Amino acid sequence: AANKQSSNYKPLTESDAITLAKRLNLFENDSQLTCYEIGDGNLNLVFKVTNTENGESIIIKQALPYAKVVGESWPLTLDRSRIETNALIKQAEFVPQYVPKVYYSDESLAITIMEDLSHLQIARAALMNDEDLPLLSNHIGEFLAKTLFYTSDYGLNQHYKKELVKQFINPDLCKITEDLVFTDPFFDHETNDFEQELQKDVERIWNDQVLKLEVAKLKQIFLTKAEALVHGDLHTGSIFADEKETKVIDPEFAYFGPIGFDVGQVFANLLLNAISREPKKQNILFTHIETTWTVFVEEFTKAWKNDAIEVFSQVDGYLEYVLSEIFEEAVGFAGCEIIRRTIGLAHVADLDKIEPANKRISIKQLALKLGSELVKNRKSVTNPKDFKEYTIQTALS
Ligand code: SR1
Ligand code: MG
């Protein structure tokens, strides 16, 4: 069922959130608390509760029974709150330094109470503000390698892994990705959203049978490859960061899927930021892409050498094969993500905020070409350095 609600579920108000924080003794007795709903994402309510005397604060996140971005006409399972809580707890086993601490959860109210990270910035906003976030890609490379290796059959007992697969069955949220990332943008579908000036470019995508065949193959991988517990929505809006710290939030789309999906979403969102900038300011993003992959490979290899339980892990060439499959799939997934963020339902501010309009349109045209090239030519993009070359070539073509 899309939406089984328990009888005591109700969306919280700001004053309910304060009452709940008090009932759970999350602050010292008699603290003066304030609360604001600060959610600006597509799906959930996010309450920040603060002790006005010492500034201590927590976040109460509550799933709504529908997608906030569309409205009540799009029902959405509350079970995503359970998935998010359990994914945060699972990721914290491997990389506690990169995820918010969970203080409490309640499945019937669909809430997760967690560490407030508002001393950090959303990475997308920071990058749009030309901030470098020097450790972002080191941290994300390690986050990806450890969370993905240790939840895969390479690093986890196969029986326990299958128990986890069961726990993270997430059909409704996967369906959103299947539709919004892998289907709707490639057809004339009502969820699509693009400027009229892009009509011809979009029709080129809808009519490109070679592209559509490759997207079908990537969708099939997303549907069937239960390789590891992926975050499932790892764009730069799901990352808090500053120059020293990085935290990955919002794993409500988590499920057992292809490792390359998380890697590809990171690549895509860094690329989207790169192309939104003037060429002389793009390099830092290409460096972040390279570092993400280099650190991912280093950490994944270290984990494989020290902790792999798969007997074939010692066979020469197997690790290299796994890494090259991950990279190829990541390139293809990145292409799909770039296309859907340009013409699908859920856009990114990196592109939408470009002014003036004619510049925005020409960068979106570049995004569509770049996304299509990455999907179709993913086998020939074999090194993260190639992203820069591809972007330059596509812009010139
Ligand atoms: C209806 S949800 C739209 C998008 O927001 C989420 O963050 C995911 O990226 C999803 O595709
Ligand atoms: Mg999200």
Side-chain angles (χ1 to χ4, degrees), residues 42-43 67 69 74 176 180-181 233 235 253 340-341 345-346:
N42 291 329
L43 300 177
V69 66
W74 188 335
I176 291 179
L180 296 188
V181 178
D233 195 25
H235 55 89
F253 283 74
R340 76 94 172 213
R341 293 296 188 184
L345 175 100

Side-chain angles (χ1 to χ4, degrees), residues 142-161:
E142 184 182 354
F143 171 88
L144 289 166
K146 291 188 172 164
T147 58
L148 297 169
F149 176 83
Y150 288 106
T151 58
S152 73
D153 286 295
Y154 317 121
L156 188 63
N157 163 285
Q158 64 86 23
H159 203 272
Y160 183 53
K161 185 203 162 203

Side-chain angles (χ1 to χ4, degrees), residues 91 140 143-145 147-148 151 222 228-235 239 248 251 253-255 257-269 292 296 326 329-330 333-334 337:
Q91 291 162 345
I140 293 297
F143 171 88
L144 289 166
T147 58
L148 297 169
T151 58
F222 182 85
L229 179 62
V230 299
H231 176 285
D233 195 25
L234 195 37
H235 55 89
I239 302 172
V248 176
F253 283 74
Y255 84 114
I259 290 177
F261 187 69
D262 276 357
V263 179
Q265 285 207 315
V266 172
F267 287 167
N269 283 272
T292 301
F296 172 81
I326 293 171
E329 289 169 15
F333 292 137
E337 171 76 357

Side-chain angles (χ1 to χ4, degrees), residues 113-329:
I113 304 188
M114 64 189 115
E115 185 181 3
D116 178 25
L117 299 170
S118 41
H119 62 290
L120 305 174
Q121 280 192 80
I122 288 291
R124 186 183 308 287
L127 293 172
M128 286 175 62
N129 209 18
D130 284 351
E131 287 171 42
D132 285 354
L133 303 177
L135 295 179
L136 175 73
S137 39
N138 278 281
H139 292 167
I140 293 297
E142 184 182 354
F143 171 88
L144 289 166
K146 291 188 172 164
T147 58
L148 297 169
F149 176 83
Y150 288 106
T151 58
S152 73
D153 286 295
Y154 317 121
L156 188 63
N157 163 285
Q158 64 86 23
H159 203 272
Y160 183 53
K161 185 203 162 203
K162 286 181 175 63
E163 283 300 321
L164 278 186
V165 172
K166 245 196 290 183
Q167 194 186 327
F168 284 97
I169 293 290
N170 196 359
D172 284 18
L173 283 276
C174 285
K175 174 79 169 119
I176 291 179
T177 305
E178 289 149 25
D179 289 346
L180 296 188
V181 178
F182 292 110
T183 311
D184 300 354
F186 303 95
F187 296 88
D188 186 1
H189 198 279
E190 65 190 8
T191 57
N192 291 329
D193 175 17
F194 54 85
E195 292 88 342
Q196 200 232 315
E197 293 91 323
L198 291 174
Q199 183 71 29
K200 279 209 167 61
D201 308 270
V202 175
E203 282 174 9
R204 205 167 299 126
I205 287 189
W206 294 343
N207 293 325
D208 187 340
Q209 298 306 316
V210 176
L211 173 68
K212 286 168 90 159
L213 173 59
E214 295 311 314
V215 174
K217 293 179 193 170
L218 289 160
K219 180 177 177 183
Q220 185 198 54
I221 296 168
F222 182 85
L223 284 164
T224 59
K225 188 166 181 171
E227 194 174 20
L229 179 62
V230 299
H231 176 285
D233 195 25
L234 195 37
H235 55 89
T236 44
S238 297
I239 302 172
F240 269 112
D242 67 7
E243 66 283 358
K244 293 195 211 85
E245 257 188 297
T246 306
K247 301 273 183 185
V248 176
I249 60 166
D250 273 7
E252 65 201 312
F253 283 74
Y255 84 114
F256 273 79
I259 290 177
F261 187 69
D262 276 357
V263 179
Q265 285 207 315
V266 172
F267 287 167
N269 283 272
L270 294 171
L271 276 172
L272 284 162
N273 186 270
I275 63 174
S276 74
R277 297 174 172 214
E278 7 168 344
K280 66 173 192 287
K281 289 186 172 174
Q282 290 178 354
N283 249 338
I284 180 77
L285 277 306
F286 293 118
T287 304
H288 272 318
I289 290 175
E290 280 181 54
T291 307
T292 301
W293 180 250
T294 309
V295 173
F296 172 81
V297 169
E298 278 167 16
E299 293 292 337
F300 197 91
T301 302
K302 212 188 297 168
W304 182 286
K305 299 248 152 55
N306 295 332
D307 295 323
I309 60 160
E310 165 57 59
V311 286
F312 284 99
S313 63
Q314 300 310 316
V315 170
D316 274 355
Y318 188 37
L319 170 62
E320 290 70 21
Y321 164 78
V322 168
L323 288 169
S324 77
E325 290 285 298
I326 293 171
F327 190 76
E328 180 188 318
E329 289 169 15

Side-chain angles (χ1 to χ4, degrees), residues 368-393:
L368 294 179
K369 278 202 262 171
L370 180 60
S372 305
E373 289 304 311
L374 293 176
V375 169
K376 290 196 279 195
N377 297 323
R378 63 189 180 283
K379 284 189 197 309
S380 47
V381 182
T382 53
N383 184 312
K385 287 189 197 304
D386 296 347
F387 283 112
K388 182 174 179 181
E389 202 45 43
Y390 254 82
T391 307
I392 294 167
Q393 290 308 325

